C-alpha cells in the first residue's frame, strides 16, 4: 500500500536539485505546470510501490463487511482522483461525488436501502430474483448494516435532463470501477450498490442533489473486516461469453 501527500512525495521523492527545480517552477512556470510536475512526482512514488495490476484485476471483488474505522479525507480524495482517471464520452467528465459521513443521513438513506432490499429480495419480494447463497448472505448483511460503513461515496453524474439511458452510464461506471480498484491500494473495500435507486427522489432530497444530476452508485467504503478478503472471483469462462464474426459462432 502506498499513499503520499504532495508534501511527502516532494520530500521523499526529490533530490535537492529536483526540489530547487520545483521551487523555481512554482515561481516561473505558474500553477498549472507546477501542479503537473507535482502530480508526476506523486505518480513516480506510487509506481515504486504499486499493487500489481493483474493481481488487482483478478482479485477485486464486492466487499460488504467493514471495520468501524474512519478513513482519512486525503485517502478518499486520492480514490476520487483515481476514479476521475477513467474515460468519459468526449472527456465530458460528467461525474460528481458526494462523500457522506454524517450518521443521521446514513441512517435515513440506510432505511430506504433496506426497504428496497426487502422489496427486491426479502420479505416483500415475489421471489423471482435469485442470488447465489453467498451473495445473498453478504448482500443481506449489507442491507441491514449499510449505515455502519464508516464512509459512503455517492457517485453521481450531471446530465441534460433527458431520460436515463445506458450511454449516460457509460460515462460514470468506468470511474466507479477505477474507484473500486483504487480501494485495494489502500487496504479498503467497497461494492457498487444501486438498490437506493428505487428511492432516487427521496435520496436526492436528503442529499440536496440537484435535478439534472442522477445518482449512479452508492459506494459504502471501509477497511476490510477480518472475516473478508479480496478475490479470487467466480466468472464464466471467456469461451462461453464470446463469439467470433457472427453471434453464436464460437471464439477459439
Ligand atoms: C450494476 C450493479 C448493481 C449492483 N447493486 C448492488 C446492490 O444494490 N447491493 C449489493 O450488495 N451489491 C450490488 N452489486 C454488487 C454485485 O452483487 C457484485 O458485483 C457481484 O455479486 C459480483 O461480486 P464479486 O465481484 O464479489 O464476485 C451490484 C453490482 C452491479 C454491477
Amino acid at each position: 500500500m502506498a499513499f503520499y501527500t504532495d508534501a511527502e512525495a516532494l520530500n521523499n521523492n526529490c533530490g535537492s536539485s529536483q526540489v530547487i527545480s520545483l521551487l523555481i517552477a512554482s515561481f516561473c512556470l505558474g500553477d498549472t505546470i507546477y501542479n503537473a510536475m507535482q502530480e508526476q512526482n506523486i505518480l513516480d512514488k506510487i509506481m515504486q510501490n504499486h499493487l500489481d495490476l493483474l493481481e488487482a484485476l483478478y482479485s477485486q471483488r464486492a466487499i460488504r463487511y467493514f471495520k468501524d474505522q474512519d478513513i482519512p479525507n486525503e485517502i478518499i480524495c486520492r480514490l476520487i482522483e483515481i476514479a476521475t482517471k477513467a474515460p468519459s464520452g468526449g472527456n465530458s467528465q460528467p461525474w460528481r461525488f458526494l462523500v457522506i459521513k454524517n450518521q443521521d443521513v446514513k441512517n435515513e438513506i440506510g432505511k430506504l436501502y433496506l426497504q428496497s432490499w426487502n422489496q427486491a429480495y426479502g420479505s416483500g419480494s415475489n421471489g423471482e430474483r435469485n442470488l447465489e447463497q453467498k451473495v445473498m448472505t453478504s448482500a443481506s448483511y449489507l442491507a441491514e448494516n449499510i449505515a455502519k460503513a464508516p464512509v459512503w461515496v455517492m457517485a453521481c453524474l450531471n446530465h441534460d435532463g433527458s431520460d436515463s439511458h445506458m450511454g449516460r452510464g457509460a460515462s460514470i461506471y468506468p470511474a466507479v470501477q477505477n474507484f473500486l480498484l483504487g480501494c485495494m491500494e489502500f487496504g479498503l473495500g467497497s461494492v457498487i450498490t444501486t438498490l437506493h435507486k428505487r428511492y432516487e427522489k427521496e435520496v436526492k432530497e436528503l442529499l440536496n442533489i440537484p435535478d439534472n444530476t442522477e445518482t449512479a452508485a452508492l459506494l459504502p467504503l471501509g477497511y476490510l473486516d477480518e472475516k473478508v478478503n479480496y478475490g479470487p472471483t467466480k466468472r464464466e469462462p471467456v469461451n462461453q461469453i464470446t463469439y467470433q464474426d457472427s453471434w453464436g459462432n464460437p471464439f477459439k
Side-chain angles (χ1 to χ4, degrees):
M1 285 194 324
F3 179 75
Y4 299 90
T5 62
D6 290 4
E8 281 168 339
L10 279 172
N11 285 339
N12 294 342
N13 205 33
C14 299
S16 56
S17 63
Q18 285 171 291
V19 172
I20 291 165
S21 307
L22 282 169
L23 287 174
I24 292 169
S26 71
F27 289 116
C28 304
L29 302 177
D31 279 353
T32 311
I33 298 173
Y34 177 59
N35 288 344
M37 289 173 76
Q38 269 194 319
E39 185 167 347
Q40 187 55 51
N41 269 287
I42 294 163
L43 226 47
D44 289 346
K45 193 73 198 178
I46 289 171
M47 292 305 171
Q48 286 168 22
N49 304 282
H50 71 98
L51 184 68
D52 181 79
L53 178 61
L54 279 182
E55 189 187 334
L57 289 169
Y58 275 82
S59 55
Q60 192 284 320
R61 70 171 320 156
I63 301 292
R64 300 186 178 92
Y65 300 84
F66 308 105
K67 281 187 182 152
D68 179 18
Q69 184 182 335
D70 195 21
I71 304 162
N73 274 357
E74 53 187 2
I75 292 186
I76 300 168
C77 181
R78 180 68 70 202
L79 283 175
I80 293 171
E81 188 175 60
I82 289 167
T84 65
K85 300 302 174 189
S88 59
N91 202 22
S92 55
Q93 304 175 55
W95 41 62
R96 294 292 180 272
F97 299 90
L98 193 54
V99 177
I100 304 164
K101 292 186 168 187
N102 182 297
Q103 195 57 52
D104 295 335
V105 174
K106 286 195 290 175
N107 289 344
E108 281 309 302
I109 297 175
K111 280 185 218 158
L112 297 172
Y113 185 94
L114 180 58
Q115 273 179 43
S116 178
W117 166 263
N118 284 333
Q119 287 157 9
Y121 300 102
S123 45
S125 77
N126 56 15
E128 273 175 12
R129 303 176 77 168
N130 281 322
L131 287 176
E132 194 188 312
Q133 189 51 48
K134 215 172 152 201
V135 179
M136 188 70 173
T137 305
S138 68
S140 160
Y141 172 85
L142 183 71
E144 299 276 355
N145 295 283
I146 194 164
K148 290 187 192 153
V151 175
W152 292 359
V153 175
M154 186 70 90
C156 303
L157 85 162
N158 287 340
H159 58 82
D160 57 8
S162 59
D163 287 343
S164 187
H165 55 88
M166 190 156 104
R168 190 188 282 173
S171 283
I172 180 69
Y173 291 114
V176 170
Q177 179 65 9
N178 267 13
F179 181 97
L180 296 175
L181 285 165
C183 282
M184 298 181 73
E185 184 71 18
F186 303 104
L188 290 163
S190 185
V191 54
I192 299 188
T193 78
T194 50
L195 278 168
H196 72 279
K197 293 284 290 176
R198 286 174 182 241
Y199 294 97
E200 174 82 358
K201 187 168 162 288
E202 292 84 346
V203 168
K204 281 179 61 172
E205 264 170 32
L206 282 162
L207 297 172
N208 291 315
I209 296 175
D211 284 348
N212 282 12
T213 302
E214 181 177 356
T215 73
L218 194 176
L219 303 162
L221 179 65
Y223 294 99
L224 276 62
D225 187 275
E226 278 86 12
K227 69 163 84 105
V228 289
N229 212 337
Y230 306 118
T233 46
K234 222 167 77 183
R235 301 292 189 259
E236 289 181 65
V238 172
N239 64 7
Q240 284 181 25
I241 54 162
T242 313
Y243 309 123
Q244 183 168 336
D245 298 328
S246 177
W247 199 260
N249 192 36
F251 172 71
K252 293 179 193 155

